[in-house]
Each structure stands twice: as C-alpha cells, then as structure tokens.
Amino acid sequence: MEISLRNKNILLTGASRGIGRAAAEALAASGARVAVHYNSNKEAAEALVKRIGNNSKAFGADLGTGEGPLQLWEAVREGFGTIDVLINNAGVAISSPIDKNDEEWLHDWGHTMMVNLNATAILCKKAVEHFKSRGGGRIINISSRAAFRGDTAEYMAYASSKGGMVSLTRSIARAFGKEGIVAFNIAPGFTRTDMAQDFIDQYGEGYALNDIALNRLTRPEDIAPTLVFLAAGMADHATGATIDLNAGSYVH
Ligand code: NAP
C-alpha cells in the first residue's frame, strides 16, 4: 500500500527546526506541498523550502500575538488556495519557577498559552470553517506527554497548554466528524531538539534517559512518519485519539 500525499496542501507550523523541520521533509518526500511556517528563523525556513521542493513555500508569523495566526491562515490560503491538512506543531516551553515574581510568572503563563493553545485554537477554527466548505480535512496537533502526566514545577504552564490542546482536538473530532473532519493528537516524550536541550541542560541527560524503555532519546525523524501516516488518511477512524511517541516511557 502506497502512502501518498500528492496534491495535498499542508500547513505546518514551527517548521523551521526540530520536529517541524523533520516533519516537513517527510511530508514533502511523500508528495505534499508544504506551507513551512517560521517565526524568527526565516533563513532556515527558506533553505528548507528549497530542499523539499513540491512548490512548497515559507510563511512567517509570530503566533504569540492575537493577529499572527489569522494573518498566517490568510497568507497560506492566498498562496495555496486550499488547505487539506493543518498541523499545529509550533510551541514554546518556558522555564518559569514558582518563586518568580507574580508578574513575570503570569507573563510566562500568558505567552505559553498564546503560542501553544490560543494560536492552535484559532488555526483550528479557521481550518474547520474551511474544511466544512470542502467536505472534510485533517488536523494534527502536537501536544506532549506532559499533558497526561504533568511536568516539573517550572513547566506547569507548558503542561497545562498541552492538556488544553488534547481537549480541543477531542472536541473537534466529536463535533465535526460527520462533516468529514478528523483530528488527532501526537504526544511526544523527550525528543532531541532545541526545546528538549533546554530541559536537558537544566536536569541532565540521565533524567530523560531514565524515563524511557528504549536505549536512546527520540529524534525528530522518529516522530515524522506518524504525521505522514495520519495526514494521508491512513488512520481516520482513530479520530480523537492521541498517539504516544515517547520511547515507551509509560511502560518503563
Ligand atoms: P523547537 O525545536 O524549540 O522549535 C520550535 C518551533 O516553534 C520553531 O519552528 C519556532 O520557530 C516555533 N515557534 C516558537 N515560538 C514561536 C512563536 N512565538 N510564533 C511562531 N512560532 C514559534 O521545538 P520542538 O522540540 O521541535 O517542538 C515542536 C513541538 O513538539 C512543540 O509543540 C513542542 O511542545 C512539542 N513537543 C516537543 C518535545 C521535545 O522533547 N522536543 C516533547 C513533547 C512535545 P522559529 O525557529 O522560526 O522561531
């Protein structure tokens, strides 16, 4: 059975590095035209677009602002015409200790929610409206293992934002399935990226390795094939589900 994304337009946020970059490469290798979203790493996004081909294109937007996600959606609609799959992958994990002063702690909380949850929510809303008018579409939200087991004290906002993404995704799956719209969560554990490196620098690599059943930390390339599989419609009847990609940490 061939898994093909030919003639599929995919909006992928946070594709300039980490999990998003590996996902863009895998999606394009299966034939997709990818809207490669970036925030600050324009050059990296443009180099990626050149590498993956398929008439893919880079789109910049700060998803930490109210207007950023809407501008991104409009720009991709204008550039691509239609969108078949939305993948909300962009995210931030800010270390915010409980003894930080209230104002700064709340600022970290708010920014985390803006990028991880609010931007995901508004992009999902736009996608649902668009998909309803086209008879269907797919949404994949990159949540986290932290949604299910919580996180360390410094990352409570992060875990909460990821928990919100899970409920949002399940609600979309429930509400719009009859209209051909399916929605999935991916919940990675530690994955070797800049984001995980910040945590590893703080807690040490042993902390992460002790948590998993496998003998090495997950890499972005270990996450990407599942995104291709879901985007291609190979698991539509798993709509509403979360796929744990955490190197067996729940069975360890
Ligand atoms: P990463 O390497 O830190 O990359 C983050 C991506 O998000 C970048 O493309 C970045 O864009 C974008 N981004 C950051 N702030 C943004 C903003 N304000 N507006 C728009 N885009 C913004 O992260 P990653 O590890 O690949 O994580 C990808 C997703 O997987 C995230 O949702 C993360 O929570 C989730 N996840 C990661 C892990 C892990 O261990 N790595 C585990 C569980 C879940 P620029 O580079 O252009 O600024």
Side-chain angles (χ1 to χ4, degrees):
M1 187 185 296
E2 192 202 358
I3 299 185
S4 173
L5 291 171
R6 224 160 292 132
N7 301 320
K8 294 268 184 253
N9 292 338
I10 301 184
L11 168 51
L12 169 63
T13 67
S16 49
R17 55 198 165 99
I19 292 171
R21 179 172 59 200
E25 284 167 349
L27 294 163
S30 293
R33 182 185 191 198
V34 185
V36 169
H37 159 261
Y38 65 90
N39 179 33
S40 51
N41 284 299
K42 183 175 186 196
E43 267 180 37
E46 284 176 350
L48 176 66
V49 160
K50 264 200 193 138
R51 217 165 50 241
I52 63 177
N54 300 356
N55 223 359
S56 296
K57 202 166 173 260
F59 295 87
D62 182 354
L63 300 181
T65 64
E67 63 278 9
L70 289 167
Q71 286 168 354
L72 173 64
W73 181 263
E74 288 314 318
V76 179
R77 283 278 279 124
E78 209 179 298
F80 279 24
T82 56
I83 297 167
D84 301 286
V85 181
L86 166 67
I87 304 179
N88 284 298
N89 166 76
V92 290
I94 302 168
S95 178
S96 195
I98 198 84
D99 53 6
K100 226 177 189 181
N101 75 55
D102 295 349
E103 204 180 314
E104 285 177 31
W105 191 88
L106 202 53
H107 176 270
D108 292 346
W109 180 277
H111 185 63
T112 304
M113 291 299 162
M114 277 304 274
V115 178
N116 294 3
L117 188 54
N118 292 20
T120 296
I122 191 70
L123 285 170
C124 283
K125 177 180 187 294
K126 300 310 290 178
V128 166
E129 288 168 359
H130 180 58
F131 294 162
K132 274 160 79 90
S133 73
R134 304 186 67 228
R138 301 190 175 93
I139 293 173
I140 305 169
N141 289 328
I142 312 298
S143 175
S144 170
R145 180 181 60 174
F148 300 93
R149 61 170 212 171
D151 213 318
T152 59
E154 299 84 2
Y155 292 94
M156 286 197 290
Y158 178 75
S160 305
S161 70
K162 294 295 174 177
M165 287 176 79
V166 172
S167 321
L168 169 69
T169 311
R170 288 179 177 166
S171 301
I172 292 167
R174 275 182 71 160
F176 304 108
K178 293 267 193 287
E179 290 166 273
I181 299 169
V182 292
F184 312 92
N185 280 297
I186 299 286
F190 280 113
T191 308
R192 274 204 185 281
T193 66
D194 297 340
M195 183 183 283
Q197 196 56 48
D198 291 344
F199 190 93
I200 288 168
D201 289 345
Q202 205 173 341
Y203 281 88
E205 181 150 346
Y207 183 99
L209 269 173
N210 279 340
D211 247 9
I212 63 175
L214 298 182
N215 62 2
R216 65 163 175 81
L217 291 185
T218 305
R219 294 187 292 242
E221 296 73 22
D222 298 312
I223 307 286
T226 303
L227 298 181
V228 173
F229 184 74
L230 293 176
M234 303 300 284
D236 282 354
H237 282 249
T239 190
T242 298
I243 300 187
D244 299 313
L245 291 170
N246 60 30
S249 48
Y250 291 154
V251 293
H252 182 61

